[in-house]
DNA sequence: ATTGAGCTACACAGCTGCGG
DNA sequence: CCGCAGCTGTGTAGCTCAAT
């Protein structure tokens, strides 16, 4: 309870952005007496929080401006990058958009005035939209199961229908989820081919198994995805070249 | 001098650990 | 289980300090 109040007190002072708050005001906000506020301020001060108080009329309590910089350790460029790429859209599919929103609020509260304005500056000048044109996000009915498998490092049984319409069943080691142009993909280890990519919308059934798995030593999701994308691009180029030699292929390409 | 703010001494209540 | 001591958290009342 007290630790919670100490945190709240610190955040209130941060949000005041250097403006002084009286002990009475803080006491009213935190539902305790002013005496308790003074004790909490002592505790914060002992913990190294640079809080100071001014006596007399127009006096009050405030934090040393700029102290938060050393708290977060973030550079201006890092703040801009985080603010610009924090796109909540895709995260709502896996239940993380609320966490992102609350996290951004906390980050904003923890930033000093200058960095807070830089974050807003970046947000108003760079927006990342991962969705594609003219089509909504693909429905992935078993995304919850895939997500739990990825989070908990547990094997997942999959019923999958591939690009050619061939249905199959298998047990995979779900390494990670990727969203690209509003389409979810599962990167998973398989007994037959090692790491493979499954399109989320083609997963027709999924069940979380009790058995866990060990991620491959040094596995990097981003690197694995990039390599798969490159191989996919090569295969597609080859496929397009094949289609071009027939009239039917030309028509297909035009479609 | 007045006023409004922080600061401090003192007391109380509840919790916890310990010994009988 | 009970009583005690110590610790922690809290509130009240009065003091000190600075601006007007």
């Amino acid at each position: 309870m007290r630790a919670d109040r100490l945190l709240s007190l610190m955040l209130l002072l941060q949000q005041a952005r250097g403006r002084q708050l009286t002990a009475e005001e803080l006491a009213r906000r935190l539902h305790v007496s002013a005496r308790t506020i003074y004790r909490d301020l002592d505790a914060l001060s002992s913990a190294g929080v640079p809080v100071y108080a001014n006596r007399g009329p127009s006096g009050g309590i405030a934090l040393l401006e700029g102290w938060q910089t050393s708290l977060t350790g973030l550079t201006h460029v890092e703040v801009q990058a985080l603010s610009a790429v924090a796109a909540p859209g895709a995260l709502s599919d896996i239940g993380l958009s609320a966490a992102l929103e609350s996290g951004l609020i906390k980050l904003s509260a923890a930033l000093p005035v200058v960095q807070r304005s830089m974050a807003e500056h970046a947000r108003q000048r760079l927006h990342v939209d991962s969705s594609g044109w003219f089509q909504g996000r693909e429905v992935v009915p078993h995304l919850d199961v895939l997500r739990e498998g990825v989070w908990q490092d547990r094997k997942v049984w999959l019923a999958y229908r591939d690009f050619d319409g061939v249905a199959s069943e298998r047990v995979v080691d779900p390494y990670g989820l990727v969203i690209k142009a509003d389409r979810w993909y599962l990167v998973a280890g398989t007994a037959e081919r090692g790491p493979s990519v499954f399109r989320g919308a083609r997963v027709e059934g999924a069940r979380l198994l009790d058995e866990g798995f060990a991620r491959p030593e040094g596995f990097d999701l981003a690197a694995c995805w990039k390599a798969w994308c490159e191989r996919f691009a090569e295969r597609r180029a080859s496929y397009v070249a094949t289609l071009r030699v027939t009239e039917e292929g030309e028509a297909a390409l035009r479609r």
Side-chain angles (χ1 to χ4, degrees):
Chain A
M1 173 115 181
R2 193 187 184 208
D4 201 39
R5 196 180 59 237
L6 286 174
L7 185 60
S8 297
L9 177 60
M10 197 169 69
L11 289 175
L12 278 173
L13 292 171
Q14 281 185 186
Q15 286 169 350
R17 306 181 185 192
R19 182 173 60 86
Q20 292 185 346
L21 295 173
T22 67
E24 282 300 327
E25 165 72 5
L26 292 167
R28 192 177 53 76
R29 300 277 292 273
L30 297 175
H31 309 290
V32 292
S33 69
R35 174 69 187 96
T36 299
I37 295 298
Y38 291 126
R39 268 187 286 263
D40 288 349
L41 290 173
D42 274 346
L44 287 177
S45 187
S46 299
V49 178
V51 61
Y52 67 93
N54 288 323
R55 290 183 165 212
S58 72
I61 301 156
L63 280 177
L64 197 63
E65 178 58 28
W67 166 74
Q68 296 94 328
T69 304
S70 59
L71 175 69
T72 64
L74 294 174
T75 66
H76 290 170
V77 178
E78 287 167 344
V79 169
Q80 286 181 327
L82 285 172
S83 303
V85 304
L91 291 181
S92 66
D93 285 357
I94 53 174
L96 290 179
S97 64
L100 173 66
E101 190 176 343
S102 63
L104 287 175
I105 289 171
K106 287 177 183 174
L107 176 63
S108 176
L111 292 173
V113 175
V114 173
Q115 289 193 331
R116 200 175 298 147
S117 64
M118 293 193 80
E120 183 59 24
H121 184 274
R123 232 186 334 267
Q124 294 302 327
R125 283 161 180 77
L126 179 60
H127 176 68
V128 178
D129 182 358
S130 64
S131 61
W133 284 102
F134 312 125
Q135 54 191 14
R137 187 168 300 139
E138 275 188 348
V139 176
V140 183
H142 303 287
L143 187 59
D144 286 350
V145 175
L146 303 182
R147 180 196 63 195
E148 287 308 304
V150 168
W151 270 186
Q152 300 176 29
D153 284 349
R154 282 166 64 183
K155 289 179 180 290
V156 169
W157 171 86
L158 280 187
Y160 189 71
R161 187 172 296 279
D162 68 15
F163 177 76
D164 298 319
V166 179
S168 61
E169 296 177 7
R170 73 197 79 197
V171 173
V172 301
D173 300 344
Y175 297 151
L177 288 165
V178 175
I179 186 167
K180 182 181 177 72
D182 258 355
R183 292 175 182 177
W184 282 100
Y185 297 86
L186 172 70
V187 179
T190 61
E192 323 83 59
R193 294 186 297 166
S196 298
V197 172
F198 301 88
R199 188 157 154 187
R202 293 205 198 106
V203 174
E204 298 183 335
R207 194 171 65 246
L208 192 61
L209 304 181
D210 291 335
E211 187 183 354
F213 67 89
R215 296 172 74 84
E217 189 77 23
F219 175 79
D220 184 286
L221 179 62
C224 179
W225 175 254
K226 184 165 181 278
W228 183 84
C229 286
E230 288 169 359
R231 286 198 303 276
F232 178 74
E234 287 170 10
R235 283 202 306 273
R236 185 178 184 283
S238 166
Y239 175 66
V240 168
T242 305
L243 283 182
R244 282 194 189 285
V245 301
T246 67
E247 286 184 14
E248 187 182 340
E250 286 287 350
L253 281 176
R254 278 196 294 275
R255 284 198 299 272

